[in-house]
Amino acid sequence: MELGFILKKLISMWLMPLPFCCLVIIFGLVVSYWRAHIGRTIAFTGVAFLMLFSWQPFANSVLYPLEHQYPSFDIAQPVDAVVVLGNCHQVSDDIPPMAQLCGTGLYRLMEGYRIWQANPEAEFLLSGYAGDQSKTYAEISANIALTLGVPEEKIRLFPNAQDTQEEAELTAPFLKGKHFALVTSASHMQRSMNWFKQEGLKPIPAPAHFGAPKKTSNWKIETSALLKTERTWYELLGRLWQSLKG
């Protein structure tokens, strides 16, 4: 695994809402030893931001615009290939293959399968590296696809792709001149489309996972809201990184 990739993951981890707020709180507590008023203000600010990020109305309001930039895939639209981008997974002989994918990854795979069912002659491209697991994400996804009835000769794996940019680069030679559905999370779709377009491709967006409802009556402060804010934060950081590289 490249050093640059590891550094990117480490930096992005500490910039996520929860660790970032924790760092602010700790910094405030340290400062309070010398400047009590300023330190308490900084620590309080960290707590306030953490509560805001964990508040359902805020989390939904920032995530919803990212998720609704593209419509759902029109199943009547023919495609030559279906590209399902990778996500996280955990390999274990104690749980069934579908349970080894993260929830978001399973949404992606099932949306890809739905599109492939309407286009059974299309190729089914699956990507995703192993990380610290014994099998790659692409392999686990392929095993599930086989059990669902996708023929082995239709499945093409890209187990070395570590991020979206590499997924676009590695699949591009097989997608030139083809109509293909690009399946990923709704919030991740814009960035994914940009990477694939940079390879000279014309992907058809197929958003697969939505987390923020248009309207909500839930005004709670809870961890599920924090996860939504994290998803938004992660995507915005990814877009910033993409613009810097582009």
Side-chain angles (χ1 to χ4, degrees), residues 43 170 245:
L170 293 174
K245 294 192 73 173

Side-chain angles (χ1 to χ4, degrees), residues 177-238:
K178 293 183 179 179
H179 296 284
F180 67 96
L182 179 60
V183 184
T184 188
S185 302
S187 61
H188 184 234
M189 184 58 70
Q190 178 66 66
R191 187 154 54 100
S192 302
M193 292 285 287
N194 289 342
W195 284 126
F196 277 79
K197 287 179 179 179
Q198 284 188 23
E199 296 298 321
L201 304 173
K202 296 180 179 180
I204 303 170
H209 176 239
F210 296 82
K214 186 174 183 179
K215 295 181 179 180
T216 178
S217 58
N218 184 355
W219 289 72
K220 295 180 180 179
I221 293 176
E222 49 193 3
T223 54
S224 60
L226 184 60
L227 290 173
K228 295 177 186 178
T229 304
E230 181 180 280
R231 179 67 253 173
T232 303
W233 200 309
Y234 180 86
E235 193 55 37
L236 293 177
L237 286 174

